[in-house]
Amino acid sequence: MAVLVTGGLGYIGSHTVVELINNGYEVVIVDDLSNSERFILKNIEEITGKKPFFYPFDLRRRELLTQVFDAHQIEGCINFAASKAVGESQIKPVDYYENNLFTLINILQEFKERGISNFIFSSSCTVYGQAEKMPITENTPLKLPESVYGKTKQMGEEILIDFAKAYQRKISLLRYFNPIGAHPSGKLGELPIGVPNNLVPYVMQTAVGIREKLNIWGDDYDTADGTPIRDYIYVVDLAKAHVSALKKLMESNEQTVIDIFNLGAGKGSSVLEVVKAFETANDVKVPYQICPRREGDITIAYADVTKAERELHWKSETPLEESLRTAWKWQQYLESKTV
Ligand code: UDP
């Protein structure tokens, strides 16, 4: 029996593959390498001592996906494969809907036809928008996301809930807050294409000298230091939550399971706090300038993680400094590869 991990060479996917292998699962990766690199497969093998099955193709190609399901006894799927750049999704909405939703539907068709259950979906805290109250629980009302990317996540959730109800299957919707950091080995991490949008990759590239200065998008928010607050969760902790969520589905005696979990560290940090934590953890300076607000940014978001702690027997405990040390180790590994 094997677990299909789509997007398994990507940032969160690759860390999850390692945790699955460490927990004795056989892993089958499908990844089209559109936002990942082949050397990650080798690094997964170096870390775990096991080589997962790997198929490089675009999941919109249903006939190739069918062949994978014919070749392996798939007992569950963790679906990471998706386009994820918020800004790009506004410019290319049709491509985002096609890529993120066709992919999902193709896998669900195979699941439906073959009677397979256990589907884990990468969702996002973006489905809550700017929530009225902090921390954000799973019962916090959803808001229609502003970005097309966010809409694909909300639509994906709806599709999966209908799938679970109609065919009596087990699904888990995991709403990530802000994943950061890298594998402690320094061999897996985030690989931004072009200029990074996310805070931590931009901090890394500034610290290493690729970028001149970090642009802090606004310091006039209604927070203690004026910069926005997010819930930064260490990627290895996040990866472990996937294994727990999968185990829970597989062990459940219910026919239909619809799980929803917020996955965060359960505490908020401001942009300036992240920059300072990085400087302290690595003894490296990050030059920055304060810029106008970025369109669409919310003021504050952090998770109530009590449901995940209770039901998944899981907790994210890695301190911010520690995650930022691993991120720096990964950045240096990337530098050494390009030299
Ligand atoms: N941010 C920033 N400069 C950057 C990238 C991000 O000041 O170059 C801020 C951004 O305004 C937000 C926080 O960092 O308050 C996290 O942004 P990110 O894009 O990483 O995540 P998201 O906005 O999706 O929570």
Side-chain angles (χ1 to χ4, degrees):
M1 298 293 252
V3 179
L4 173 65
V5 182
T6 73
L9 298 187
Y11 176 42
I12 308 169
S14 58
H15 288 85
T16 302
V17 167
V18 166
E19 296 307 319
L20 285 168
I21 294 173
N22 288 345
N23 280 272
Y25 291 91
E26 178 146 297
V27 175
V28 176
I29 297 173
V30 176
D31 191 309
D32 69 356
L33 298 165
S34 59
N35 196 8
S36 58
E37 296 283 344
R38 220 173 243 275
F39 76 82
I40 296 293
L41 186 66
K42 182 176 71 62
N43 290 6
I44 289 173
E45 195 183 348
E46 279 177 23
I47 293 166
T48 62
K50 280 200 103 178
K51 193 178 180 148
F53 292 95
F54 172 54
Y55 297 93
F57 67 86
D58 184 327
L59 283 151
R60 284 173 292 183
R61 298 192 56 191
R62 177 79 192 280
E63 73 286 2
L64 295 180
L65 185 60
T66 300
Q67 286 173 20
V68 172
F69 276 86
D70 285 343
H72 300 275
Q73 283 273 332
I74 305 288
E75 58 177 333
C77 172
I78 308 183
N79 183 31
F80 294 104
S83 304
K84 62 172 186 178
V86 173
E88 186 187 50
S89 77
Q90 300 302 98
I91 304 163
K92 300 179 173 174
V94 175
D95 296 338
Y96 266 66
Y97 287 122
E98 178 179 329
N99 195 30
N100 292 3
L101 298 178
F102 277 27
T103 296
L104 173 63
I105 287 168
N106 277 347
I107 306 166
L108 292 184
Q109 289 285 15
E110 295 292 337
F111 265 51
K112 185 192 79 184
E113 287 169 13
R114 296 167 191 261
I116 309 172
S117 203
N118 308 316
F119 194 100
I120 298 199
F121 181 66
S122 303
S123 188
S124 162
C125 65
T126 188
V127 298
Y128 299 113
Q130 177 59 75
E132 314 267 309
K133 270 202 314 204
M134 289 300 132
I136 298 172
T137 74
E138 289 78 2
N139 294 324
T140 295
L142 303 186
K143 291 195 178 140
L144 189 65
E146 281 185 28
S147 74
V148 170
Y149 161 77
K151 285 179 197 160
T152 67
K153 291 293 167 193
Q154 214 173 73
M155 288 174 189
E157 288 197 358
E158 294 295 330
I159 290 168
L160 277 159
I161 291 168
D162 290 338
F163 166 79
K165 284 184 186 159
Y167 306 109
Q168 288 98 47
R169 306 293 166 94
K170 302 176 195 177
I171 62 151
S172 198
L173 310 176
L174 304 183
R175 294 178 179 156
Y176 310 152
F177 281 67
N178 292 55
I180 60 160
H183 195 265
S185 64
K187 290 181 178 178
L188 303 177
E190 199 165 1
L191 273 170
I193 303 175
V195 183
N197 287 311
N198 292 115
L199 177 62
V200 171
Y202 207 106
V203 167
M204 294 308 130
Q205 292 197 0
T206 308
V208 89
I210 301 172
R211 312 279 157 210
E212 196 190 329
K213 274 184 198 148
L214 168 70
N215 299 311
I216 294 187
W217 306 124
D219 70 348
D220 56 350
Y221 285 89
D222 187 14
T223 61
D225 65 22
T227 60
I229 290 174
R230 298 286 185 274
D231 182 331
Y232 296 93
I233 176 171
Y234 181 43
V235 67
V236 175
D237 292 339
L238 183 61
K240 288 179 178 162
H242 289 74
V243 179
S244 305
L246 184 65
K247 268 194 190 138
K248 179 175 180 294
L249 292 187
M250 286 179 170
E251 285 167 7
S252 166
N253 294 323
E254 307 285 325
Q255 269 214 314
T256 307
V257 179
I258 299 172
D259 276 342
I260 302 179
F261 294 111
N262 284 346
L263 298 179
K267 85 186 240 300
S269 308
S270 73
V271 176
L272 282 170
E273 281 169 346
V274 172
V275 173
K276 291 206 181 90
F278 174 81
E279 292 184 333
T280 312
N282 300 301
D283 201 17
V284 181
K285 278 271 160 222
V286 180
Y288 67 81
Q289 60 184 358
I290 306 295
C291 302
R293 291 181 179 199
R294 185 170 70 175
E295 208 189 309
D297 270 357
I298 56 170
T299 305
I300 180 164
Y302 61 91
D304 181 327
V305 286
T306 45
K307 187 176 176 215
E309 287 178 13
R310 192 177 60 241
E311 295 188 24
L312 298 180
H313 314 291
W314 164 91
K315 200 174 166 63
S316 167
E317 282 176 320
T318 311
L320 191 56
E321 274 88 3
E322 176 89 26
S323 330
L324 293 167
R325 254 195 297 275
T326 61
W328 187 230
K329 192 170 174 185
W330 164 247
Q331 186 64 45
Q332 283 165 325
Y333 170 78
L334 288 181
E335 293 304 303
S336 71
K337 274 183 83 70
T338 51
V339 172

